[in-house]
């Protein structure tokens, strides 16, 4: 049993209690014994390296994934007591790829859930048109098809669609990861502006600690093995990281801005198994060590092949999409983003032509960043910091 909230503190909107998820066929849990409260009307961010269980945790909230044990309540109600379809419709969901229906116009995409909830076509379109303005898009974009929009515009439409039924809860899974940094910053600002008006309960997933501390009222840092390493407001994470992992992960935020301009040329490159198009197509070519990287004829990266799924992955569209790319010589910040966003845990380093030259490891990039920070501290204060 949990203690009642002190008077004046509203009940949390979402509660995880001892939630574990082990996917069938895997030995280790994707999420382990997660206990956490998501306060009402605020933004809670799940952050951490690839594969640490962020998406799994998010999807258990609307039962896209069922927990193996433990309970989740939304607004006081156990989610397993609500039919999954009803639950899903009662929450907005935004993904990294906008997930828009390609053969429907923008307006009809936005109106999907109101229609499912029984709104007339005219009412749904009316609402959709209002929402276009809410997310900062011109009205005439409403008649276009998703493919006729930029990546940033598509993500805005994704947000509008998630808001269409005016759900109290919004689940967002790396919604801004696939757009370039400038558009990403715009979308982040827009979300904060929207949130000031709408005061939804938002759970937002990212692997970017900068994004997490910018957007989150509270930030949950996940570590490998689906373990919650720390859950606190951003300033507390930065001031008092609970362990080495959190310190390394958030530590880079102090003075992080400077790293954008810093040469990342010293990042060590490691070899990685490469599958050219012919090797990819031939399932007899084994994946030797966990993951292999598929490339095109010009050695540009296409995506990853996990050893366990080698037999099923023989064509580019079956690959596990990679994270961001690290062009050699770019900033440590880009290097870290690449290493943290990769499903294999290895960032892909490319040359000027975009061809793969090797892989980089998150721990090594973090170490370089830490060293750069120390050097800067010494230069400024005449002593190590
Ligand atoms: N449907 C599935 N079946 C089996 N294992 C899965 C499934 N989905 C995820 N996993 C595994 O569970 C673990 C957590 O995955 P999850 O997608 O929750 O991580 P994540 O933190 O969202 O990662 P990313 O940053 O790459 O999106 C990983 O080891 C992953 O391989
Ligand atoms: Mg994920």
């Amino acid at each position: 049993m949990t203690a009642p909230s002190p008077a004046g503190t509203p009940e949390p909107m979402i509660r995880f209690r001892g939630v574990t998820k082990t996917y069938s066929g895997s030995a280790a849990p994707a999420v382990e014994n997660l206990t956490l409260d998501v306060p009402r009307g605020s933004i809670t961010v799940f952050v951490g390296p690839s594969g640490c269980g962020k998406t799994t945790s998010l999807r258990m909230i609307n039962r896209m994934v069922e927990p193996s044990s433990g309970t989740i309540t939304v607004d006081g109600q156990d989610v397993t007591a609500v039919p999954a379809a009803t639950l899903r419709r009662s929450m907005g969901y935004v993904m990294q790829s906008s997930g828009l229906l390609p053969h429907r116009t923008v307006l009809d995409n936005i109106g999907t859930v109101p229609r499912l909830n029984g709104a007339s076509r005219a009412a749904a379109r009316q609402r959709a048109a209002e929402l276009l303005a809410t997310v900062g898009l011109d009205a005439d974009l409403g008649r276009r098809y998703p493919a006729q929009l930029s990546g940033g515009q598509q993500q805005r439409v994704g947000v509008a669609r998630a808001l269409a039924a005016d759900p109290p809860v919004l689940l967002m899974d790396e919604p801004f990861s696939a757009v370039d940094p400038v558009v990403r910053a715009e979308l982040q600002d827009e979300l904060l502006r929207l949130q000031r008006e709408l005061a939804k309960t938002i759970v937002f997933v990212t692997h970017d600690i900068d994004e997490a501390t910018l957007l989150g009222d509270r930030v949950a840092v996940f570590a490998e093995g689906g373990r919650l390493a720390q859950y606190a407001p951003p300033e507390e994470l930065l001031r008092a990281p609970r362990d080495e992992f959190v310190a390394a992960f958030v530590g880079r935020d102090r003075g992080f801005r400077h790293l954008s301009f810093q040469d990342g040329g010293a990042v060590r490159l490691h070899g990685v198994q490469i599958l050219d198009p012919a090797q990819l197509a031939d399932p007899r070519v084994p994946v030797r060590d966990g993951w292999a990287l598929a490339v095109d004829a010009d050695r540009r990266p296409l995506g990853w092949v996990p050893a366990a799924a080698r037999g099923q992955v023989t064509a580019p569209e079956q690959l596990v999409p990679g994270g961001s790319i690290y062009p050699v010589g770019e900033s440590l910040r880009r290097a870290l983003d690449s290493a943290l966003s990769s499903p294999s845990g290895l960032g892909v380093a490319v040359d000027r032509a975009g061809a793969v030259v090797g892989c980089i490891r998150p721990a090594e990039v973090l170490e370089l960043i830490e060293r750069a920070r120390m050097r800067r501290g010494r230069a400024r204060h005449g002593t190590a910091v």
Side-chain angles (χ1 to χ4, degrees):
M1 291 297 286
T2 48
S5 312
T9 313
E11 281 289 305
M13 181 62 124
I14 303 167
R15 300 193 120 147
F16 288 79
R17 284 295 172 273
V19 174
T20 294
K21 173 65 186 183
T22 308
Y23 287 101
S24 63
S26 45
V31 174
E32 186 159 27
N33 196 20
L34 178 64
T35 293
L36 162 156
D37 283 345
V38 173
R40 233 167 253 274
S42 65
I43 304 182
T44 295
V45 177
F46 293 174
V47 69
S50 183
C52 64
K54 305 180 296 292
T55 296
T56 301
S57 300
L58 188 76
R59 291 186 168 184
M60 286 191 288
I61 299 171
N62 70 357
R63 291 184 67 193
M64 285 166 79
V65 171
E66 301 281 357
S68 307
S69 59
T71 53
I72 299 172
T73 58
V74 174
D75 209 4
Q77 190 170 37
D78 190 326
V79 293
T80 55
V82 186
T86 313
L87 195 70
R88 249 162 257 167
R89 244 185 266 165
S90 74
M91 298 181 206
Y93 192 87
V94 189
M95 309 179 271
Q96 179 172 358
S97 61
S98 65
L100 301 174
L101 301 169
H103 52 281
R104 292 220 187 139
T105 63
V106 164
L107 281 186
D108 285 344
N109 263 288
I110 298 174
T112 306
V113 173
R115 287 284 283 155
L116 287 171
N117 287 340
S120 70
R121 170 161 292 196
R125 286 213 172 133
Q126 171 65 33
R127 170 87 181 126
E130 288 164 20
L131 281 163
L132 269 186
T134 307
V135 298
L137 291 176
D138 281 345
D140 48 334
L141 293 185
R143 285 188 302 275
R144 293 202 198 165
Y145 289 89
Q148 298 168 316
L149 302 180
S150 73
Q153 289 167 336
Q154 289 183 25
Q155 288 310 103
R156 283 170 201 255
V157 174
V159 172
R161 184 182 53 173
L163 290 171
D166 201 19
V169 175
L170 211 52
L171 308 177
M172 308 182 82
D173 194 352
E174 305 220 27
F176 307 149
S177 298
V179 295
D180 70 64
V182 175
V183 175
R184 187 171 183 172
E186 271 172 36
L187 291 172
Q188 290 167 343
D189 288 346
E190 288 267 345
L191 181 68
L192 288 173
R193 178 187 62 75
L194 264 179
Q195 175 65 355
R196 279 195 291 275
E197 288 166 24
L198 303 176
K200 301 283 183 193
T201 302
I202 299 179
V203 185
F204 188 106
V205 168
T206 179
H207 62 265
D208 179 345
I209 187 70
D210 267 358
E211 185 165 71
T213 52
L214 174 74
L215 296 179
D217 295 299
R218 293 181 71 88
V219 176
V221 182
F222 285 71
E224 225 160 85
R227 179 179 66 86
L228 179 62
Q230 189 166 1
Y231 182 41
E235 45 301 348
E236 190 179 324
L237 281 183
L238 297 172
R239 179 171 41 81
R242 187 189 289 157
D243 60 19
E244 281 298 301
F245 172 80
V246 179
F249 197 74
V250 304
R252 63 198 169 88
D253 199 49
R254 299 167 224 162
F256 196 52
R257 299 288 163 205
H258 308 270
L259 292 170
S260 310
F261 306 106
Q262 193 165 345
D263 180 30
V267 183
R268 194 184 324 157
L269 297 180
H270 296 272
V272 62
Q273 184 186 354
I274 298 275
L275 296 175
D276 65 27
Q279 291 167 328
L280 174 64
D282 180 357
R284 287 167 307 180
V285 178
V287 170
R288 291 190 301 270
D289 184 21
W291 295 83
L293 182 65
V295 298
D296 68 11
D298 297 319
R299 230 181 134 82
R300 284 186 297 240
L302 295 174
W304 291 95
V305 185
R310 175 62 182 115
Q312 292 87 266
V313 180
T314 52
E317 59 275 12
Q318 295 160 327
L319 294 166
V320 179
S324 64
I325 296 292
Y326 169 58
V328 168
E330 281 279 343
S331 65
L332 289 173
R333 184 185 175 144
R334 286 267 313 255
L336 188 64
D337 192 73
S338 166
L340 288 175
S341 64
S342 170
S344 66
L346 295 171
V348 176
V350 298
D351 63 17
R352 281 177 176 210
V356 175
V357 292
C359 280
I360 56 176
R361 302 207 168 126
E364 293 177 1
V365 181
L366 281 168
E367 200 186 310
L368 283 175
I369 289 174
E370 195 54 26
R371 265 194 254 149
R373 198 166 72 78
M374 303 260 296
R375 269 201 309 277
R376 231 188 0 265
R378 271 200 295 275
R380 202 176 301 151
H381 307 295
T383 159
V385 285

